[in-house]
């Protein structure tokens, strides 16, 4: 079989198959009115398991990702305050971001024990690279709340 | 493609379309589209952090910036921005990236008729290139009704538009071929409107086929 026949190319909004117990919508697809549709332009991949088949669409270009609660991020400390320090999120997991996102590390989230005796100036300084977990997104501050992970 | 018997296939042919993806290095996705001599370049930045006043907490906000060839943006350009924004918002799955912004920058390179249709198509191709999740793709078709003969001409150029009684721009989705946006100028009857819409709907298949071939070409390269 030639290379052209191996790859199945799809465009956004293309109906791929019926959504049932056998066919499951995977990444790059969405389900609507009993059918699975593509939401990206790219190549269709079928992942066969015991009695199910997952339909995935791998985009022709890498997708921009946004921090979500629960993600482990690598951040750089930019501003240190008595109550918190502001960070610039550089990586999500092992993926380097195309542009940074703003994060805030509060005093009480630096460590799990002895929270009252934390001194932010002694813990961090601008330029430090830290590993943290995203907790939530503050709308008023327009930044992500992160919890420091001790490495 | 379904063709009515009374209309020859040649009547559905649009001006030649050429497109180059990833022309710009800075945006997440870009497309340079030429429809005949009409040319635009579109760039997508997103999803990015939204400005506080434009942020929507449960979905992504779409921002459009349209720049003409020369001079500052005018009222007509603001209208073009609005049409692109509303059309792209209908196609993008905005709930996928909440509290973020998707910035669409469109630069006019040459206007030889059918500029609105060309900008919508370029924005759609740039969104595809950026990997933004979309419910469907969009095909915009421009057409006109001639003054004397009252013939419907698809994708007219500037010379043909001088003899136009009415001009139409329709945008259709790829799933059900429903009208996403419609822009009209001039005087026309309801029958003429429905007739032009039907003609544009059938011609939109050419644009969707063009998208598919373009994606196939880039997928094979990768």
């Amino acid at each position: 079989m030639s290379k052209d026949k191996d790859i199945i190319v799809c465009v956004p909004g293309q109906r791929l198959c019926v959504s049932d117990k056998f066919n499951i919508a995977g990444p790059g697809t969405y389900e609507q009115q009993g059918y699975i549709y593509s939401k990206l332009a790219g190549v269709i991949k079928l992942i066969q398991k015991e009695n199910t088949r997952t339909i995935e669409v791998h985009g022709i270009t890498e997708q921009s990702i946004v921090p979500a609660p629960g993600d482990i991020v690598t951040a750089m400390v930019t501003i240190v305050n008595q109550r918190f320090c502001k960070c610039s999120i550089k990586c999500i997991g092992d993926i380097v971001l195309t542009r940074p996102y703003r994060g805030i590390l509060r005093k009480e989230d630096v460590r799990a024990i002895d929270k009252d005796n934390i001194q932010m100036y002694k813990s961090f300084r601008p330029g430090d690279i830290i590993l943290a977990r995203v907790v939530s997104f503050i709308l008023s501050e327009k930044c992500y709340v992160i919890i420091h992970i001790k490495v | 493609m379904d063709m009515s018997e009374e209309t020859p296939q040649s009547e559905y042919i649009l001006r030649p379309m050429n497109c180059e993806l990833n022309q710009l290095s800075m945006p997440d996705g870009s497309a340079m589209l030429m429809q005949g001599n009409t040319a635009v370049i579109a760039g997508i930045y997103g999803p990015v952090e939204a400005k506080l006043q434009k942020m929507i907490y449960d979905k992504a906000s779409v921002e459009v910036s349209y720049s003409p060839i020369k001079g500052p943006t005018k009222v007509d350009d603001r209208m073009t921005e609005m049409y692109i924004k509303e059309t792209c918002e209908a196609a993008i799955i905005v709930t996928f990236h909440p509290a973020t912004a998707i910035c669409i920058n469109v630069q006019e390179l040459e206007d030889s008729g059918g500029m609105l249709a060309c900008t919508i198509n370029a924005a759609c191709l740039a969104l595809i290139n950026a990997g933004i999740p979309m419910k469907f793709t969009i095909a915009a078709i421009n057409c006109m009704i001639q003054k004397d003969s009252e013939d419907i001409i698809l994708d007219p150029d500037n010379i043909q538009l001088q003899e136009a009684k009415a001009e139409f721009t329709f945008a259709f989705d790829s799933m059900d071929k429903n009208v996403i946006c419609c822009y009209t100028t001039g005087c026309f009857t309801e029958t003429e409107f429905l007739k032009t819409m039907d003609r544009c709907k059938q011609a939109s298949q050419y644009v969707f086929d063009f998208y598919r071939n373009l994606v196939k070409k880039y997928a094979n390269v990768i």
Side-chain angles (χ1 to χ4, degrees):
Chain A
M1 199 181 271
S2 68
K3 192 191 173 188
D4 287 351
K5 284 179 184 175
D6 282 343
I7 60 164
I8 309 162
V9 176
C10 67
V11 288
Q14 186 177 325
R15 189 189 286 180
L16 304 176
C17 64
V18 177
S19 176
D20 52 21
K21 289 175 185 177
F22 180 63
N23 296 312
I24 298 162
T29 64
Y30 70 96
E31 214 175 306
Q32 191 180 308
Q33 293 170 349
Y35 289 96
I36 294 169
Y37 293 89
S38 166
K39 67 179 175 191
L40 298 173
V43 181
I44 300 165
K45 291 273 196 298
L46 302 172
I47 294 156
Q48 198 83 38
K49 287 181 184 171
E50 291 169 18
N51 52 358
T52 59
R53 185 172 63 180
T54 307
I55 290 94
E56 293 182 2
V57 174
H58 295 262
I60 53 170
T61 52
E62 58 182 49
Q63 264 187 284
S64 300
I65 58 165
V66 178
D71 287 349
I72 303 293
V73 296
T74 306
M76 188 175 81
V77 177
T78 52
I79 298 163
V80 181
N81 201 315
Q82 284 181 348
R83 293 179 291 109
F84 58 84
C85 69
K86 287 186 179 179
C87 307
S88 176
I89 298 166
K90 301 286 186 186
C91 305
I92 298 173
D94 55 355
I95 300 158
V96 180
L97 297 171
T98 50
R99 57 180 70 80
Y101 286 91
R102 270 180 283 187
I104 190 165
L105 177 61
R106 289 169 178 166
K107 187 181 175 179
E108 56 268 26
D109 295 329
V110 172
R111 61 176 181 230
I113 52 158
D114 200 21
K115 290 183 180 183
D116 300 331
N117 299 328
I118 293 165
Q119 287 179 286
M120 291 301 282
Y121 291 112
K122 287 185 179 178
S123 302
F124 304 104
R125 58 183 175 186
D128 283 357
I129 304 293
I130 61 165
L131 202 64
R133 180 183 275 109
V134 177
V135 178
S136 63
F137 181 80
I138 311 177
L139 201 63
S140 58
E141 295 273 345
K142 208 186 79 170
C143 62
Y144 293 89
V145 178
I146 57 176
I147 292 176
H148 182 240
I149 298 169
K150 195 176 179 183
V151 183
Chain B
M1 184 169 58
D2 296 319
M3 294 284 182
S4 52
E5 281 181 26
E6 64 271 15
T7 312
Q9 191 163 338
S10 60
E11 284 195 31
Y12 289 108
I13 292 171
L14 310 172
R15 288 182 292 175
M17 290 173 79
N18 290 307
C19 181
E20 281 291 327
L21 301 179
N22 280 326
Q23 280 283 305
L24 306 173
S25 58
M26 288 301 284
D28 295 312
S30 63
M32 184 182 178
L33 181 68
M34 286 181 73
Q35 284 186 222
N37 290 332
T38 304
V40 293
I41 191 158
I44 306 288
Y45 294 88
V48 294
E49 278 190 290
K51 288 174 187 170
L52 194 59
Q53 59 268 38
K54 289 181 181 177
M55 186 186 281
I56 308 163
Y57 78 97
D58 61 340
K59 61 180 184 178
S61 61
V62 179
E63 293 171 33
V64 179
S65 171
Y66 176 81
S67 307
I69 301 171
K70 54 187 176 187
T73 52
K74 298 182 281 292
V75 177
D76 289 353
D77 302 326
R78 289 270 179 259
M79 183 216 68
T80 305
E81 281 179 13
M82 188 199 73
Y83 270 96
I84 298 165
K85 182 183 182 292
E86 295 296 325
T87 309
C88 291
E89 248 178 12
I92 298 165
I93 304 172
V94 284
T95 51
F96 202 71
H97 296 300
T100 59
I102 293 162
C103 304
I104 303 168
N105 296 338
V106 183
Q107 172 66 57
E108 180 189 327
L109 299 176
E110 193 179 339
D111 188 0
S112 182
M115 179 49 78
L116 180 60
C118 193
T119 53
I120 290 168
N121 291 340
C124 183
L125 282 164
L127 285 166
I128 288 169
N129 185 234
I132 305 280
M134 294 166 79
K135 293 193 277 283
F136 44 74
T137 50
I138 290 162
I141 307 288
N142 187 49
C143 76
M144 62 166 261
I145 299 170
Q146 272 190 319
K147 267 179 193 169
D148 306 320
S149 61
E150 296 200 351
D151 288 338
I152 295 166
I153 298 169
L154 285 171
D155 205 10
D157 55 25
N158 273 344
I159 299 156
Q160 289 171 313
L161 283 166
Q162 286 170 4
E163 297 166 22
K165 181 179 87 168
E167 190 189 345
F168 305 84
T169 302
F170 294 99
F172 301 95
D173 72 77
S174 59
M175 283 173 79
D176 305 314
K177 298 274 176 69
N178 291 328
V179 177
I180 302 295
C181 107
C182 169
Y183 171 69
T184 61
T185 52
C187 303
F188 50 88
T189 62
E190 190 185 343
T191 314
E192 285 174 331
F193 176 78
L194 293 168
K195 199 177 175 184
T196 51
M197 189 172 77
D198 187 54
R199 189 75 67 86
C200 288
K201 188 183 281 190
Q202 291 184 55
S204 69
Q205 191 57 49
Y206 277 97
V207 181
F208 292 128
D209 290 342
F210 174 75
Y211 290 169
R212 176 176 288 282
N213 293 334
L214 194 71
V215 169
K216 199 172 271 186
K217 185 181 113 179
Y218 276 86
N220 285 333
V221 167
I222 291 159

